[in-house]
Amino acid sequence: MAGAGAPKRQDTRKFFENLSGAGKSIAVLTSGGDAQGMNAAVRAVVRMGIYVGAKVYFIHEGYQGMVDGGDNIKEATWESVSSMLQVGGTVIGSARCKEFRTHEGRLKAAHNLVQRNITNLCVIGGDGSLTGANLFREEWSGLLDELLQQGLIDEEAAQRNSALHIVGMVGSIDNDFCGTDMTIGTDSALHRIIEVVDAIMTTAQRLNIIIVAEGAIDRQGQPITSDFVKDLVVRCLGFDTRVTILGHVQRGGTPSAFDRILASRMGVEAVLALLEASANTPACVVSLVGNQAVRLPLMECVQMTQEVQKAMDEKKFDEAVRLRGRSFENNLSTYRLLSYRKADSELPNSSFNVAVMNVGAPAAGMNAAVRSAVRVGITEGHKMFAVNDGFEGFYKGQIKEIKWGDVGGWTGQGGSLLGTKRTLPGKHLDKIAEQMRIHNINALLVIGGFEAFESLLQLYEARADYEEFCIPMCMLPATISNNVPGTDLSIGADTSLNAIVETCDRIKQSASGTKRRVFIIETMGGYCGYLATVGGLAAGADTVYIYEEPFDIRDLQANVEHLTQKMKTSIQRGLVLRNENCNENFTTDFIYQLYTEEGRGVFDCRKNILGHMQQGGAPSPFDRNFGTKVAAKAMQWITRTLKDSYKGGRVFANSEETACLLGMRRRAMVFQPVSQLRDETDFVHRIPKEQWWLKLRPLMKILAKYKTSYDVSDSGQLEHVTRVRPKESNTSSAI
Ligand code: ADP
């Protein structure tokens, strides 16, 4: 027992129940070019705003609606944002507004806000829209004075509305804003682009694809048009060449899972930022760094974004790349590394042999990772070896050299082209060591899920008995379940989320026209509730059952009651997700029957087990890029570690650090010894002991109208653009 005088451990967590929106009014608008995911952001702002007790207003048609007032500014209700999560574009309208660029226009806009006591503004748009918002805030007190002088408002109204708080969210398919790794809409636009590129790929064999950005210029600043590239290819190479212009396709279609989640997280964060703002808080933008939401001063971001343009105008291209930040630089250098094949004579000759393999169930993006590893390895001078069928193939000797050309076209392919098995190495150590000797394997890259992690641990632990395993070994987490310790995200989970979300959209749509229906959908993930929870957030689920958050019959009863209440409103559909292992006895059938019985007369139910469709399909752009980037980084680590451990004519590596997992932790990509990750792992249920995404559960519940407690300790501090990354990290762009 703790002594009476022992100091109590201070609870530093901060819960948002202490933040109230009562008496406050928040307006939300979308401005500039529209982007997929804007609706999800609007929905999150509206629901979070209402949840905390604020009045929330839509401003239709961007700044034009703010200047014109009248019906353009309308109070939002909970139901008014239902069924918009899956819709592309912006439901509340966006416009370009010349008037807002003038003082007169902004004066009218201020008048319209003051008349409604709106002093909190959430602007979703690109850098132009956010610049306008900042200017508006800076002018605010002057505008109020003018309105007062003109007799348009009285002293009391001026007092009541004296401080205008502004929070921006970057909605733009271009990802052209400094301070955030991803803008809302970019991931969906990438989906459209790869859908078209994949489709074109199937029309011809031996096909080469050249992608030209609409604003591409040469070093002299002259435009590089697609027709120019076509003529060049025809003239110099004589190839039959066709041009396809993607145009507005990129802005269209339904938002991807990534954009819905990003926008939902940012929307909630924006409301928190508004609630916490004081009179002196500068306008801020909520953005994404690595996997974390951060707040940055809006003007710093805008200035840096404008500096990029200035550097481009002055043809200082290296400077422009540097100003875009490390994630952009990383992307560019990885792309360069993989697309240009150096001549053999230009390659260093390391004389090291590196093996690459897949372990566990297939996950989309594994092939992109293998391609990247093979090509980076070759560029670094290594001989690369492919192992087929995981450790089963390894001990049977299914190992052969793999060349640059062998992995051509692998990025967009689903499944595992190397072949993958769940077999662990433990029972075959002798034979595996023998194969390592035969092929003189000097380093190993394992790409896979929980089994890959267990495999690497077994090899690490066997180092005392087998010198062959005293080599640099690295694993990349690749599993749809996202249940590997040491990483916030694994390769494949995003593709799977998209499959879940697309299916939920279809299922929900199937009920339009019918009356009051609840869908109960079972997702995969083993004991890990990531897919169910994050899929639920992206699809707008009412309830998500997972193993990590135990529930009992009282919860089930409350959930049915919640749906019964919902059916009394204009929203007559319900979506319930259930992770396959959430509870041994409350099975999908049980829950379906319970809801059917208890909902009798109010709603009827349908159930769906998504099954293996969650494992298949072409990898999403996120998984292609994530797989590509982490594999390149892992190979660079392997090269460094090989050099460090090469002594006396041989490779010998037996320290903890030389058997590691490369994972994303909050803002950074980090190499972590597997031996240290052991303590962070629940081996019985095959999940990490701590899972970051559990923090998203309250968010999902709030958006589904449940009362809950939400820990906001992570958010709050305003940071500076240049300081958002930890110095030593190598962050790659990801949610
Ligand atoms: P984006 O926000 O996508 O960059 P624009 O640059 O067209 O798109 O800006 C959208 C709207 O934001 C403009 O039509 C205008 O109303 C407003 N805006 C842009 N820049 C400014 C500015 N410097 N001052 C005031 N308003 C601006």
Side-chain angles (χ1 to χ4, degrees):
M1 209 175 97
K8 270 192 188 156
R9 216 174 115 209
Q10 212 184 338
D11 188 353
T12 53
R13 285 176 306 166
K14 190 169 80 180
F15 289 94
F16 89 139
E17 286 88 323
N18 307 329
L19 298 170
S20 167
K24 295 188 179 174
S25 293
I26 301 172
V28 56
L29 63 99
T30 53
S31 171
D34 62 329
Q36 307 96 323
M38 280 182 163
N39 292 325
V42 170
R43 171 181 178 269
V45 170
V46 168
R47 293 201 164 167
M48 184 67 171
I50 293 175
Y51 185 89
V52 296
K55 260 190 177 179
V56 186
Y57 290 88
F58 294 128
I59 300 181
H60 292 276
E61 309 306 327
Y63 289 125
Q64 193 65 54
M66 198 151 99
V67 172
D68 294 346
D71 271 356
N72 289 299
I73 308 179
K74 259 200 227 123
E75 193 173 341
T77 62
W78 190 275
E79 286 82 24
S80 61
V81 289
S82 109
S83 301
M84 67 194 254
L85 195 56
Q86 64 270 29
V87 182
T90 163
V91 171
I92 61 171
S94 175
R96 298 225 146 83
C97 172
K98 272 201 185 129
E99 248 183 305
F100 194 73
R101 291 180 185 269
T102 67
H103 184 77
E104 286 313 302
R106 293 194 289 275
L107 191 67
K108 280 194 206 164
H111 189 205
N112 283 323
L113 295 191
V114 172
Q115 281 174 323
R116 294 163 179 84
N117 291 316
I118 297 172
T119 51
N120 295 285
L121 203 56
C122 185
V123 178
I124 308 165
D127 66 328
S129 307
L130 299 185
T131 308
N134 193 61
L135 188 64
F136 191 49
R137 185 186 176 281
E138 281 173 356
E139 283 182 356
W140 184 252
S141 62
L143 293 171
L144 291 193
D145 287 347
E146 268 181 70
L147 290 172
L148 197 59
Q149 276 162 19
Q150 293 179 14
L152 292 169
I153 61 169
D154 60 23
E155 188 71 47
E156 200 229 322
Q159 278 295 324
R160 219 177 28 238
N161 295 284
S162 61
L164 177 70
H165 306 302
I166 289 194
V167 172
M169 272 183 268
V170 201
S172 160
I173 62 165
D174 299 333
N175 206 27
D176 56 354
F177 193 80
C178 291
T180 189
D181 281 351
M182 287 294 263
T183 58
I184 296 167
T186 304
D187 186 69
S188 304
L190 289 174
H191 271 263
R192 298 299 92 79
I193 294 168
I194 64 157
E195 277 156 22
V196 175
V197 171
D198 285 354
I200 291 175
M201 290 273 238
T202 61
T203 66
Q205 299 294 310
R206 288 202 302 108
L207 187 73
N208 291 293
I209 300 230
I210 299 174
I211 295 184
V212 185
E214 65 175 351
I217 49 173
D218 66 17
R219 295 207 165 267
Q220 277 68 48
Q222 294 305 311
I224 302 175
T225 63
S226 43
D227 280 334
F228 173 81
V229 175
K230 176 187 167 170
D231 292 345
L232 195 72
V233 174
V234 171
R235 193 157 29 88
C236 302
L237 301 171
F239 292 163
D240 179 19
T241 308
R242 311 286 164 93
V243 173
T244 301
I245 293 174
L246 299 183
H248 264 67
V249 164
Q250 295 159 96
R251 235 180 242 293
T254 182
S256 66
F258 182 103
D259 273 330
R260 297 183 199 195
I261 298 155
L262 175 67
S264 302
R265 286 176 77 181
M266 298 296 133
V268 168
E269 182 68 20
V271 173
L272 291 177
L274 287 173
L275 292 184
E276 288 176 353
S278 68
N280 302 325
T281 315
C284 77
V285 38
V286 289
S287 76
L288 181 81
V289 178
N291 183 28
Q292 209 181 358
V294 294
R295 295 181 199 169
L296 304 167
L298 193 153
M299 230 29 234
E300 275 185 30
C301 300
V302 168
Q303 269 160 10
M304 182 125 26
T305 305
Q306 287 167 352
E307 277 175 40
V308 173
Q309 190 53 49
K310 189 162 163 273
M312 296 276 282
D313 293 343
E314 291 170 0
K315 305 191 183 77
K316 293 179 183 160
F317 299 111
D318 292 341
E319 172 76 358
V321 169
R322 196 186 58 75
L323 286 168
R324 282 305 314 266
R326 204 176 302 176
S327 134
F328 186 91
E329 262 181 298
N330 275 347
N331 289 345
L332 193 64
S333 63
T334 311
Y335 160 73
R336 284 194 179 132
L337 202 62
L338 293 170
S339 44
Y340 300 114
R341 182 182 181 174
K342 287 186 182 165
D344 288 349
S345 58
E346 283 179 76
L347 296 175
N349 185 359
S350 76
S351 69
F352 290 127
N353 295 342
V354 181
V356 54
M357 65 194 297
N358 295 157
V359 172
M366 274 182 161
N367 299 323
V370 172
R371 167 184 173 270
S372 168
V374 167
R375 292 196 170 174
V376 174
I378 291 171
T379 307
E380 310 231 317
H382 310 315
K383 212 182 232 191
M384 298 301 296
F385 285 81
V387 180
N388 294 125
D389 295 339
F391 281 104
E392 195 169 314
F394 207 132
Y395 82 78
K396 290 179 181 163
Q398 296 173 25
I399 304 169
K400 44 174 206 293
E401 193 181 348
I402 183 162
K403 297 274 182 60
W404 184 282
D406 297 335
V407 289
W410 280 33
T411 309
Q413 308 247 7
S416 161
L417 292 167
L418 288 184
T420 183
K421 288 264 157 67
R422 289 184 186 272
T423 318
L424 297 182
K427 290 190 183 135
H428 314 281
L429 293 173
D430 282 339
K431 284 187 179 155
I432 292 171
E434 187 188 337
Q435 291 299 330
M436 287 228 177
R437 273 196 309 281
I438 293 172
H439 296 279
N440 187 25
I441 301 298
N442 303 119
L444 182 63
L445 180 66
V446 182
I447 302 162
F450 202 86
E451 286 94 356
F453 170 62
E454 288 179 307
S455 301
L456 217 63
L457 263 179
Q458 290 182 349
L459 294 182
Y460 167 76
E461 281 160 4
R463 274 178 170 177
D465 301 322
Y466 297 89
E467 215 182 298
E468 291 81 358
F469 305 148
C470 296
I471 56 169
M473 296 189 281
C474 183
M475 93 156 258
L476 299 177
T479 162
I480 65 161
S481 305
N482 199 25
N483 62 335
V484 180
T487 190
D488 287 359
L489 294 170
S490 48
I491 301 164
D494 182 69
T495 305
S496 192
L497 275 181
N498 276 295
I500 292 170
V501 169
E502 272 166 37
T503 312
C504 287
D505 284 356
R506 281 173 195 233
I507 289 174
K508 272 165 64 175
Q509 199 190 31
S510 75
S512 61
T514 50
K515 277 253 152 175
R516 301 192 297 249
R517 181 161 290 172
V518 173
F519 294 98
I520 292 147
I521 295 174
E522 183 188 296
T523 62
M524 280 184 162
Y527 283 96
C528 179
Y530 176 82
L531 287 180
T533 299
V534 182
L537 180 63
D542 295 281
T543 307
V544 177
Y545 298 113
I546 60 169
Y547 163 79
E548 292 91 336
E549 197 179 289
F551 55 100
D552 60 22
I553 194 68
R554 280 166 291 273
D555 296 302
L556 291 169
Q557 193 179 359
N559 298 149
V560 174
E561 179 56 23
H562 188 83
L563 279 172
T564 307
Q565 292 305 322
K566 184 180 175 186
M567 296 296 164
K568 291 181 183 157
T569 71
S570 58
I571 322 170
Q572 308 210 321
R573 274 175 322 201
L575 184 67
V576 174
L577 264 57
R578 181 190 173 277
N579 158 266
E580 58 182 353
N581 288 355
C582 67
N583 185 298
E584 209 182 333
N585 296 310
F586 298 144
T587 60
T588 302
D589 277 341
F590 176 87
I591 288 180
Y592 164 69
Q593 283 163 5
L594 181 89
Y595 272 67
T596 304
E597 184 59 29
E598 295 295 315
R600 198 184 291 279
V602 182
F603 54 80
D604 66 4
C605 298
R606 296 286 185 274
K607 69 170 179 192
N608 256 281
I609 294 174
L610 299 184
H612 278 76
M613 61 161 292
Q614 294 161 91
Q615 256 177 39
S620 67
F622 180 92
D623 280 330
R624 296 179 195 202
N625 289 334
F626 190 43
T628 301
K629 283 187 283 186
V630 288
K633 203 169 281 300
M635 281 311 299
Q636 285 160 345
W637 176 88
I638 283 179
T639 302
R640 279 198 310 275
T641 315
L642 274 169
K643 281 183 188 151
D644 292 346
S645 47
Y646 186 69
K647 286 179 193 99
R650 65 183 190 125
V651 173
F652 185 81
N654 70 347
S655 67
E656 277 192 324
E657 289 73 31
T658 55
C660 67
L661 176 149
L662 172 58
M664 166 173 286
R665 286 235 145 150
R666 289 158 72 103
R667 299 183 183 191
M669 293 300 307
V670 277
F671 291 94
Q672 304 145 92
V674 283
S675 56
Q676 287 175 17
L677 292 175
R678 202 171 14 205
D679 297 339
E680 298 181 20
T681 311
D682 168 355
F683 283 93
V684 176
H685 299 99
R686 300 159 64 86
I687 49 175
K689 285 182 186 162
E690 278 187 30
Q691 304 189 88
W692 71 274
W693 51 266
L694 285 167
K695 279 192 310 204
L696 299 180
R697 290 203 39 100
L699 208 144
M700 186 200 73
K701 290 181 191 173
I702 289 168
L703 297 178
K705 217 176 181 174
Y706 275 94
K707 288 265 175 263
T708 181
S709 187
Y710 185 34
D711 178 2
V712 293
S713 329
D714 264 2
S715 56
Q717 294 303 314
L718 199 64
E719 306 182 30
H720 290 285
V721 180
T722 42
R723 274 202 262 132
V724 289
R725 273 167 223 286
K727 261 196 184 131
E728 298 306 320
S729 78
N730 289 302
T731 313
S732 81
S733 114
I735 193 172

